[in-house]
Amino acid sequence: MPQATVAIVGRPNVGKSTLFNRLVGKRVALVDDRPGVTRDRREGEGELLGLQFRVMDTAGFEDEDPKSLPGRMRAQTEAAVREADVALFLIDAREGLTSMDEEIGRWLRSEDTPVIVAANKAEGRGGEAGRLEAYKLGLGDPFAISAEHGEGLVDLFEALRPHIEREEFAETEEEDPDGGPLKLAIVGRPNAGKSTLVNKMLGEERMITGPEAGITRDSISIEWLWNDPATTEERAVRLIDTAGLRKRAKVEDKLEKLSVMDTKRAIDFAEVVVLLLDATRGLEVQDLKIASQVIDEGRALVIAMNKWDVAEGASALFNGVKAALEEGLSQLKGVPLLTVSAITGKGIDQLLGAAFDVREQWSRRIGTGELNRWFERAVETNPPPAPGGKRIKLRYITQVKTRPPSFVIFGSRVDQLPTSYERYLLNSMRRDLGLGPVPLRLSMRAQKNPYVDQTK
Ligand code: GDP
């Protein structure tokens, strides 16, 4: 599990080391904490009410000539803050905000690392004025702590937790920037024209690797370079050939029901699934079932109406199928619908272009800042309900995965959140963050109350 790193920053004597010692306790591992060795940074395994993280203390240069401090401080602190997932900025609540605090604050605002502000030495009620003054830093809500007396630790816990949990959830997945060959599967009812389409695609393209033993028994994948007319670039496509799509299927096979196994195998393999419809037959119930299966498995879906060369009443047919899809696939609106002719080849380039486009959306990662700005807006515009008079609190969101884009929302009482509210969030996210018509995953995580935990 990736571990989050917290950098404690602040001017000399605000209590950084005291706080560091409190968080790290005896677990501090000081490699070169020998007299005479100038340590600019201490690191250790921190723990606070069950949260675990790595802590960096940027103290250690405090015995130096104060005149040299700002420069040294900047270099040391900069390195630590850039490395950290969150900067814990300490000020001295009794002394109030000094010009050096303000200088550090200005610099922290220009950095990308999130910052939380704690007003230290605020034991008892002392330091409330100093805490309020710290609002001037423009770095969010300062909270009061006393590192020495162990006060305000729950507030510290609450402030740190989002940053630490977000990091724990972040997947260390390899993300190939170009995505590699597009893994494509073509599914549909018998006689929709799948074999014809595949033959046409392959017949017009240069095959770069011959049929190779593939993925599962009875299926092979074929890779070739598609010449994208939109960019004039060659793009690699790897197609799964389920049960010999390229062979002319026997007549008896055609009478059988669509092989459930074939569809399953294709979905397992593919990034993007093309559901091929037969324009001469329109949309049938089984097509909707296959489409739902693709979406439920979290794959990107494109629907193509084949035999468009012989379609009658083309525009009425298209609109009718479009409307039936919107109604039949209530879980995902706006799935791309295209028309092709496997016989003439018309529309095949558009189909492949659409497949690459949805894969891009399916692989998209939303920046943490953008995601949380959207989230705050969405929750403010339409706050979650308050069943039994108690409001459900949604605190923050993090994207844990791509392909398909998957998100976790942390909050309290989330088990009572109605699915209609989840749908609202998903729709709003899809619209505002340009995620497109790909399946999204959203799950909720309840935050534990640290007080409750402690009394157990
Ligand atoms: P599969 O079972 O989905 O693989 O379907 P086939 O590729 O075997 O095609 C079934 C029938 O539809 C064959 O007779 C094809 O010639 C015909 N067909 C396939 N694509 C087209 C098309 O685009 N236009 C027309 N007019 N006929 C097509």
Side-chain angles (χ1 to χ4, degrees):
M1 188 158 55
Q3 200 181 25
T5 305
V6 180
I8 306 177
V9 297
R11 63 183 173 80
N13 282 317
V14 291
K16 295 189 296 297
S17 297
T18 312
L19 181 61
F20 178 87
N21 291 338
R22 179 166 288 280
L23 294 173
V24 171
K26 293 201 178 80
R27 292 173 300 276
V28 62
L30 276 187
V31 190
D32 45 10
D33 189 25
R34 286 161 283 151
V37 175
T38 313
R39 275 287 301 182
D40 287 322
R41 217 159 98 179
R42 291 195 299 163
E43 291 188 20
E45 297 295 315
E47 203 259 4
L48 179 64
L49 301 173
L51 275 187
Q52 280 165 4
F53 45 91
R54 202 159 69 89
V55 204
M56 296 187 288
D57 174 12
T58 53
F61 48 81
E62 303 196 355
D63 305 330
E64 311 272 320
D65 172 10
K67 288 211 182 77
S68 71
L69 275 177
R72 279 179 63 72
M73 172 154 41
R74 180 151 293 136
Q76 293 310 323
T77 310
E78 251 173 35
V81 164
R82 292 204 173 129
E83 209 179 295
D85 298 296
V86 58
L88 170 52
F89 181 16
L90 281 197
I91 64 146
D92 183 329
R94 294 169 173 231
E95 284 191 30
L97 217 56
T98 70
S99 59
M100 205 191 281
D101 292 329
E102 288 179 18
E103 194 190 328
I104 298 172
R106 258 194 306 279
W107 165 69
L108 281 173
R109 277 203 308 275
S110 71
E111 290 290 309
D112 288 334
T113 309
V115 181
I116 58 177
V117 181
N120 190 32
K121 310 193 189 175
E123 53 269 18
R125 297 223 154 185
E128 182 57 9
R131 184 184 77 82
L132 294 175
E133 235 184 296
Y135 271 100
K136 274 204 287 189
L137 294 168
L139 288 163
D141 295 334
F143 51 92
I145 62 167
S146 167
E148 186 144 0
H149 299 268
E151 292 174 27
L153 295 182
V154 171
D155 290 335
L156 176 58
F157 169 89
E158 284 293 343
L160 281 175
R161 179 158 64 177
H163 305 285
I164 287 161
E165 287 179 345
R166 182 175 292 145
E167 190 52 27
E168 284 172 356
F169 261 78
E171 232 183 49
T172 42
E173 64 189 43
E174 287 292 310
E175 280 173 51
D176 182 348
D178 334 313
L182 171 70
K183 290 197 206 151
L184 187 71
I186 297 173
V187 300
R189 281 178 288 120
N191 278 316
K194 300 182 293 298
S195 320
T196 314
L197 179 64
V198 170
N199 282 329
K200 191 74 178 175
M201 280 179 174
L202 294 177
E204 294 189 345
E205 306 291 343
R206 185 161 57 89
M207 223 194 286
I208 51 168
T209 54
E212 55 185 57
I215 328 309
T216 51
R217 239 152 30 106
D218 307 328
S219 71
I220 56 169
S221 71
I222 311 149
E223 188 166 321
W224 83 95
L225 289 176
W226 167 58
N227 221 320
D228 182 353
T231 61
T232 68
E233 268 168 38
E234 293 196 314
R235 308 176 85 175
V237 181
R238 187 181 298 161
L239 185 89
I240 186 169
D241 189 3
T242 41
L245 264 188
R246 288 172 312 131
K247 285 185 245 115
R248 206 86 201 96
K250 287 194 234 94
V251 178
E252 304 91 85
D253 292 345
K254 298 252 159 174
L255 299 176
E256 284 174 17
K257 286 204 307 251
L258 168 77
S259 159
V260 176
M261 277 310 294
D262 267 7
T263 308
K264 181 80 180 69
R265 195 179 294 136
I267 291 173
D268 285 347
F269 161 90
E271 297 168 324
V272 178
V273 177
V274 171
L275 168 60
L276 205 61
L277 308 179
D278 184 336
T280 64
R281 302 187 58 180
L283 184 74
E284 294 180 27
V285 174
Q286 199 176 6
D287 295 319
L288 285 175
K289 280 197 186 138
I290 301 172
S292 293
Q293 194 185 347
V294 173
I295 295 167
D296 294 346
E297 291 292 328
R299 297 303 192 272
L301 174 67
V302 175
I303 301 179
M305 265 197 279
N306 187 32
K307 312 192 187 177
W308 203 242
D309 52 313
V310 293
E312 286 174 22
S315 87
L317 175 63
F318 185 88
N319 292 332
V321 170
K322 183 96 194 155
L325 280 174
E326 292 303 285
E327 195 178 317
L329 293 177
S330 54
Q331 69 271 53
L332 185 59
K333 302 282 176 203
V335 174
L337 176 66
L338 293 96
T339 57
V340 289
S341 169
I343 297 270
T344 67
K346 196 157 179 230
I348 292 181
D349 282 334
Q350 286 83 343
L351 176 60
L352 287 169
F356 273 100
D357 288 348
V358 301
R359 180 177 69 164
E360 195 273 313
Q361 295 169 323
W362 184 69
S363 312
R364 190 167 292 170
R365 183 171 286 284
I366 311 291
T368 309
E370 188 187 2
L371 185 61
N372 280 283
R373 278 193 298 280
W374 162 78
F375 182 66
E376 278 163 27
R377 231 179 14 249
V379 171
E380 204 176 283
T381 313
N382 179 12
K390 283 191 188 161
R391 192 162 282 290
I392 297 170
K393 272 229 166 74
L394 303 182
R395 292 176 199 275
Y396 61 96
I397 185 168
T398 186
Q399 180 170 2
V400 290
K401 237 170 70 43
T402 63
R403 306 159 65 86
S406 309
F407 304 86
V408 177
I409 290 176
F410 293 84
S412 49
R413 303 163 56 78
V414 291
D415 51 323
Q416 296 179 47
L417 198 69
T419 45
S420 60
Y421 195 83
E422 287 184 28
R423 227 173 9 250
Y424 154 71
L425 287 175
L426 283 171
N427 289 337
S428 148
M429 173 186 276
R430 203 184 290 287
R431 189 188 57 231
D432 297 351
L433 300 175
L435 280 159
V438 294
L440 302 177
R441 302 255 196 260
L442 178 63
S443 53
M444 303 286 157
R445 271 247 310 186
Q447 288 182 325
K448 286 181 244 109
N449 182 337
Y451 293 111
V452 172
D453 272 2
Q454 282 183 323
T455 55
K456 266 187 196 154

